[in-house]
Amino acid sequence: MSMLSLSSATQPTCLTCGTIKISKLIIADSCKYGRRATQSFGRMDLGQNLVFGKTAKNIIKGLYHNPRFGILAASTLPVIQTAEKLSTYLFRTEKGGNVTVIITRLKDGKYGVNVEISSLQLTGNDADIIMSWGVFRSDSSSRIPIHSSDSGIFETPFAIDSLNKFSAELEFDASLAPFYISFLLKWHLDGETVEIKSHRKTNFCFPVGVKSGRPGPLGVSYSADGSLNFALFSRNAKSVILCLFDDSSSEEPVIEIDLDPYVNRSGDIWHVSMDNAMNFVSYGYRVKNDGQEKSSVVLDPYSKVIAENSLGKICKEPTFDWSDDVRPNLPMEKLTVYRLNVMDFTRDASSNLPDEIRGTFSAISEKLHHLKDLGVNAVLLEPIAPYDKLKGPYYPSHFFSPQNSYGPHGDSTSTINSMNEMVKRLHANGIEVLLEVVVTHTCDSSSLAKIDKPSYYYSNNALNCAHPVVQQLILDSLKHWVINYHIDGFCFIDSSSMINGFNGEHLSRPPLIEAIAFDPVLSKTKIIADSFDPLLNSTKEIQFPHWKKWAEMNSRFCSDVRNYLRGESLVSNLATRLCGSGDIFLNGRGPAFSFNFVARNHGLSLVDLVSFSSASELSWNCGEEGATKKRTVLETRLKQIRNFLFILYVSLGVPVLNMGDECGQSSGGKISVKERKPFNWKSLKTGFAVQTIEFISFLSSLKIKRSDLLQRREFLKVENIDWYGPDLSLPNWEDPTSKFLAMSLKCDQNDENALTSDMFVAFNGGDSPVTATLPPPRLGMEWVRLVDTGLPYPGFFSTTGEPVVEKIPGSLGYQMTPHSCVLLEARNVDG
């Protein structure tokens, strides 16, 4: 039984209703008193509104024909034959005494309303009291109309018992709910009418068809009895109004339910439930804080399905048949990742896809062959949650649903179904689906700021990830993606801000990072920290707390490889990245936790890295800025692109390719993600794209074939690797002029599953050719060349291998061109 506090029950309550058939209102036609029976329905002249004290526009001027009011004496008969008591409201009057309202569900499904007055001190001999009432929206000008009365204002006499308690009974069809009844009391004394209101001088007002509800779960949920529950967190709200819409194209709600803090609030959770919500299609909230006149309707942060009016959709989530879905559950060290933007990947007409699916999840499934041609087994989707259209996907407005525009028809149901179909199809082909997520800030239009900015944010749009409520929101949303969409992992953009405390200070044990690492659902997925900050367009270098669970986007790999290939880095830095970045991942993790990349969606694309010189991007134009026809410059650029890809794949760790780099996608040297062009599928037919895709496919296969050396959970042992300069001496580790580095990767002879062939890898980042002396292969074996990025296509890589011939007897050397890389493998002489 829900109780309304005396201090709050008399507060005006706001409700807005649409067109409802009030003909189903049932009112009995007799009035029975303990001492007498009467029919007393005279002319009515209220002079003021039943809600909010405003003047009523339509007053009943004559008798109400065929009235059906039911007034039963509490002392003689049961007030209402009930099956279930729903709620009770208690008011205090301005004349003393109490008014109790009991709302019940009758056996025939109708709502019964019993109003009882007790301890009311009256004078005079005439004790007739009438309840003057109406069914309303927010005010008299928008009340629910009753077809047989212009005003919808009724007068119902009370029955009185021997204890001076007055009671009245009303019945309403359940289909009318939810609605509000507002009333005042009229006392006839010596021919005059005295109005009695609440002790606050307001009308008595209460909802019908609305229950207190429960505080969990947050968002919309369905109970076993079919009722619908709404729950919203807001610690600092002064009032919360639930707004219900029956048309998604409407800008104004059809019903507004004002939540009473004494009835509809538990702690910091506002909640309400109702039995009948079939006529409503979407919902939102008006949350009033200090200094606000009327707040706008905002989206529930926990809405799982977004309606066309960008508010929460009142429906159960679309069901999907996952029965045949098998998650790949690939070991981290086996991953090869392709990062893409859902819309830009296929929205160009060159994709040759139907207009209705271009730029959608469904289109990704149609381009599955391209992913398989590259040899990738995981896609990393740029943020897919609803976002600020002007700023882009890295400024989210919501966390629980995909952007509707990514669906074939632009609506929530088709979007959800198409995303699930995409995931299921990619899984069937052994490809995992990872999501980039932004949980550290939102766009300006996010509903979180309007609902409770002090709790959700610590400054501007920066979310307070140290706040338990923010943490719960993030954890709930991530688990929603895993459970309902079968997502395999997450890459957390701006992860360095996730370790901030309430005032932005860095925490040594950030609770959110730890909670994700040990959550029973999320800990089984891939969790990757990316310290790139889209707000500052830069990467923050921090020591990320990992609990041996978190992988990281290795920005140092990117910067060191770029610096080496432009001639600005020590070879020792390159060696560290080749071996899995032990300076970052040695303490309890391993090379598989290093997600390596050389280009990303923010910044220069791969082809622009070798076409434009930029100190901030650590890029080199190879001799001429921008487009050129100089053959030597073009040849150097082509070799550099091959070098970037080669280093990416032969390094220990997870290689991450960026959409469009395989076909020479360029933004003309622009680094903003807004300057990025959609994927041009015609470019796949160019000579550059053909040879680059073939090379990437070869490297993917090589990494799998030689997983004993190139795909490892643990670091290589000291005895498995040797480092060389050009003449087999130790490299010049600290010489900034040294541009040559070679390494010999030796198989573990004690590993029965390992191949018995060693590998030799050499890098010449200088402008001059180098003759690299090769270490002698094992007995009975010879070196064969698999890759030489300095050779022309198609000979610069080979699966069969070309034997390396001794040019000087007794000394095996290999001539390397400037800016080139070489990979040799030891093979048995007899094949």
Side-chain angles (χ1 to χ4, degrees):
M1 182 172 69
S2 303
M3 295 297 296
L4 186 63
S5 166
L6 291 176
S7 63
S8 65
T10 55
Q11 293 296 325
T13 309
C14 177
L15 177 141
T16 309
C17 299
T19 302
I20 299 179
K21 294 181 179 178
I22 204 69
S23 59
K24 296 183 180 180
L25 179 68
I26 298 175
I27 310 171
D29 58 3
S30 65
C31 306
K32 294 184 179 180
Y33 285 78
R35 292 172 296 183
R36 62 189 178 279
T38 183
Q39 292 218 358
S40 175
F41 309 109
R43 184 175 299 272
M44 182 178 170
D45 189 6
L46 290 179
Q48 49 186 311
N49 180 19
L50 295 181
V51 181
F52 299 137
K54 295 180 180 179
T55 302
K57 294 182 179 179
N58 297 304
I59 305 298
I60 294 178
K61 300 299 184 182
L63 295 177
Y64 178 61
H65 301 289
N66 297 320
R68 299 176 62 203
F69 293 85
I71 316 299
L72 302 176
S75 62
T76 59
L77 292 173
V79 176
I80 301 176
Q81 298 295 329
T82 67
E84 179 187 5
K85 184 178 289 186
L86 299 179
S87 55
T88 300
Y89 298 93
L90 181 62
F91 301 86
R92 185 153 47 101
T93 79
E94 61 183 331
K95 301 289 185 180
N98 298 325
V99 176
T100 303
V101 177
I102 300 175
I103 301 175
T104 56
R105 184 189 298 280
L106 304 181
K107 291 181 179 180
D108 57 4
K110 296 182 175 64
Y111 288 109
V113 176
N114 178 250
V115 182
E116 185 178 275
I117 305 173
S118 62
S119 303
L120 184 62
Q121 301 299 319
L122 301 176
T123 60
N125 296 322
D126 190 354
D128 289 346
I129 300 179
I130 293 175
M131 183 176 74
S132 182
W133 61 275
V135 181
F136 292 96
R137 296 194 198 184
S138 59
D139 56 45
S140 63
S141 63
S142 57
R143 60 178 166 266
I144 301 175
I146 298 178
H147 72 89
S148 56
S149 170
D150 292 335
S151 67
I153 306 300
F154 302 95
E155 289 191 347
T156 300
F158 281 84
I160 185 171
D161 62 16
S162 60
L163 299 177
N164 286 326
K165 288 186 178 180
F166 299 82
S167 63
E169 174 188 336
L170 303 174
E171 292 181 9
F172 300 90
D173 192 278
S175 65
L176 297 177
F179 57 90
Y180 275 87
I181 292 178
S182 180
F183 69 93
L184 54 79
L185 304 177
K186 285 188 173 185
W187 172 38
H188 297 292
L189 177 64
D190 298 330
E192 295 184 4
T193 300
V194 178
E195 293 182 353
I196 303 174
K197 297 186 177 183
S198 74
H199 76 290
R200 294 194 176 218
K201 311 297 183 183
T202 61
N203 294 82
F204 307 98
C205 189
F206 59 90
V208 178
V210 175
K211 294 184 288 188
S212 171
R214 59 188 185 277
L218 291 173
V220 172
S221 59
Y222 289 84
S223 303
D225 61 1
S227 63
L228 191 63
N229 192 78
F230 300 83
L232 175 78
F233 165 84
S234 184
R235 174 174 298 172
N236 294 284
K238 301 304 179 184
S239 69
V240 173
I241 300 172
L242 172 64
C243 302
L244 301 173
F245 296 76
D246 62 357
D247 184 354
S248 291
S249 63
S250 176
E251 295 183 359
E252 290 297 324
V254 68
I255 289 179
E256 294 187 354
I257 300 174
D258 196 341
L259 306 190
D260 191 292
Y262 290 90
V263 176
N264 305 107
R265 184 172 185 176
S266 298
D268 296 328
I269 308 297
W270 301 74
H271 46 80
V272 65
S273 68
M274 62 185 65
D275 298 324
N276 181 18
M278 297 180 61
N279 296 324
F280 308 123
V281 297
S282 59
Y283 76 101
Y285 293 96
R286 295 191 197 273
V287 181
K288 186 176 180 180
N289 297 295
D290 290 331
Q292 288 183 309
E293 290 295 328
K294 184 177 181 181
S295 59
S296 58
V297 182
V298 297
L299 174 67
D300 178 3
Y302 271 79
S303 292
K304 307 304 190 300
V305 184
I306 307 299
E308 286 75 9
N309 54 357
S310 298
L311 295 175
K313 194 170 185 178
I314 300 179
C315 68
K316 294 182 179 180
E317 291 183 70
T319 57
F320 186 79
D321 182 10
W322 290 104
S323 57
D324 298 327
D325 183 57
V326 179
R327 300 178 189 247
N329 286 323
L330 299 172
M332 198 117 72
E333 66 272 14
K334 302 295 184 183
L335 291 180
T336 302
V337 180
Y338 184 83
R339 186 199 323 246
L340 64 87
N341 176 278
V342 173
M343 183 166 289
D344 287 344
F345 190 52
T346 60
R347 70 181 172 98
D348 192 81
S350 61
S351 64
N352 292 325
L353 295 175
D355 292 346
E356 62 270 18
I357 71 167
R358 290 209 312 258
T360 68
F361 295 118
S362 301
I364 295 176
S365 300
E366 297 300 319
K367 295 300 182 179
L368 181 62
H369 62 278
H370 180 65
L371 301 175
K372 300 185 79 170
D373 287 345
L374 293 171
V376 301
N377 55 20
V379 292
L380 175 59
L381 305 183
E382 292 181 21
I384 62 171
Y387 57 86
D388 187 306
K389 297 296 193 301
L390 297 177
K391 292 186 175 182
Y394 292 93
Y395 296 83
S397 60
H398 194 62
F399 296 101
F400 282 91
S401 64
Q403 173 75 19
N404 282 350
S405 59
Y406 293 160
H409 304 292
D411 66 89
S412 53
T413 301
S414 68
T415 300
I416 291 172
N417 287 333
S418 64
M419 180 176 175
N420 287 335
E421 288 285 359
M422 176 202 71
V423 172
K424 187 174 182 179
R425 188 171 177 187
L426 291 177
H427 281 178
N429 286 271
I431 299 177
E432 293 192 345
V433 180
L434 312 176
L435 296 185
E436 283 188 342
V437 291
V438 180
V439 298
T440 57
H441 61 269
T442 66
C443 65
D444 296 334
S445 60
S446 173
S447 61
L448 295 178
K450 298 179 178 67
I451 291 171
D452 194 338
K453 189 167 186 177
S455 294
Y456 283 112
Y457 298 86
Y458 72 83
S459 68
N460 296 327
N461 294 338
L463 286 172
N464 186 357
C465 292
H467 196 291
V469 170
V470 178
Q471 294 170 31
Q472 193 61 51
L473 173 73
I474 294 170
L475 291 172
D476 288 344
S477 68
L478 297 175
K479 286 187 283 189
H480 178 71
W481 291 108
V482 175
I483 295 170
N484 293 279
Y485 294 88
H486 287 207
I487 294 303
D488 301 289
F490 303 93
C491 178
F492 295 82
I493 303 299
D494 192 24
S495 56
S496 56
S497 294
M498 295 172 66
I499 70 174
N500 291 343
F502 276 79
N503 299 310
E505 75 281 8
H506 284 191
L507 303 176
S508 59
R509 269 186 91 107
L512 178 59
I513 304 300
E514 185 172 8
I516 293 173
F518 293 101
D519 183 88
V521 173
L522 301 177
S523 62
K524 305 302 179 184
T525 67
K526 277 82 175 177
I527 47 177
I528 311 148
D530 189 343
S531 293
F532 178 79
D533 183 352
L535 299 174
L536 301 176
N537 198 33
S538 63
T539 298
K540 301 174 184 176
E541 293 288 348
I542 64 166
Q543 186 174 356
F544 196 81
H546 54 78
W547 283 277
K548 301 181 182 179
K549 300 277 189 177
W550 283 81
E552 295 183 47
M553 280 289 177
N554 193 345
S555 59
R556 293 187 197 175
F557 179 94
C558 176
S559 58
D560 284 345
V561 173
R562 288 186 181 187
N563 274 328
Y564 172 75
L565 290 179
R566 72 181 186 133
E568 298 291 339
S569 176
L570 297 174
V571 293
S572 58
N573 294 335
L574 176 63
T576 301
R577 305 306 154 215
L578 292 168
C579 292
S581 298
D583 57 335
I584 304 174
F585 302 100
L586 187 61
N587 185 19
R589 290 185 284 181
F593 288 82
S594 176
F595 278 62
N596 302 329
F597 65 97
V598 293
R600 63 181 306 151
N601 46 1
H602 287 79
L604 295 177
S605 65
L606 182 58
V607 73
D608 287 348
L609 275 178
V610 301
S611 304
F612 300 90
S613 291
S614 169
S616 62
E617 288 291 303
L618 307 179
S619 62
W620 175 50
N621 61 22
C622 298
E624 186 167 326
E625 190 75 1
T628 184
K629 294 183 178 180
K630 291 185 178 179
R631 183 180 183 84
T632 56
V633 174
L634 294 175
E635 288 177 348
T636 302
R637 289 179 179 177
L638 184 59
K639 287 194 294 183
Q640 289 287 76
I641 289 174
R642 296 172 181 174
N643 293 339
F644 272 118
L645 294 171
F646 177 76
I647 295 174
L648 180 64
Y649 276 85
V650 299
S651 299
L652 288 179
V654 177
V656 180
L657 292 170
N658 203 48
M659 179 189 78
D661 285 347
E662 69 272 30
C663 57
Q665 197 88 358
S666 172
S667 59
K670 306 287 181 57
I671 63 174
S672 171
V673 70
K674 296 180 181 179
E675 302 293 337
R676 181 177 55 192
K677 299 177 182 178
F679 193 100
N680 186 350
W681 290 89
K682 291 181 179 180
S683 64
L684 294 179
K685 298 179 181 180
T686 63
F688 172 86
V690 169
Q691 62 174 282
T692 302
I693 293 173
E694 287 182 7
F695 187 40
I696 292 172
S697 178
F698 164 80
L699 292 172
S700 297
S701 299
L702 175 69
K703 200 168 182 73
I704 296 172
K705 178 183 176 183
R706 296 313 310 269
S707 60
D708 58 322
L709 296 175
L710 302 180
Q711 287 183 332
R712 297 178 60 90
R713 191 86 179 177
E714 301 83 19
F715 290 99
L716 288 165
K717 301 175 184 177
V718 175
E719 56 267 26
N720 292 127
I721 186 168
D722 289 326
W723 299 100
Y724 304 107
D727 55 0
L728 296 184
S729 61
L730 288 175
N732 295 319
W733 294 119
E734 303 303 324
D735 183 0
T737 64
S738 176
K739 306 302 177 188
F740 181 88
L741 179 67
M743 64 179 182
S744 178
L745 302 176
K746 296 179 289 185
C747 296
D748 192 342
Q749 297 301 304
N750 298 323
D751 187 354
E752 296 180 357
N753 297 320
L755 298 174
T756 57
S757 58
D758 299 337
M759 302 180 76
F760 178 82
V761 190
F763 309 88
N764 179 20
D767 296 327
S768 304
V770 174
T771 300
T773 303
L774 306 182
R778 297 178 191 267
L779 185 64
M781 307 191 81
E782 64 178 355
W783 291 115
V784 298
R785 184 186 71 239
L786 299 183
V787 176
D788 183 346
T789 61
L791 296 177
Y793 175 79
F796 73 93
F797 67 94
S798 171
T799 55
T800 58
E802 294 291 330
V804 178
V805 181
E806 291 186 6
K807 295 184 178 181
I808 303 175
S811 176
L812 193 62
Y814 190 90
Q815 186 73 24
M816 296 182 64
T817 63
H819 307 293
S820 67
C821 302
V822 171
L823 171 63
L824 310 178
E825 185 178 48
R827 300 271 181 90
N828 291 324
V829 175
D830 56 5

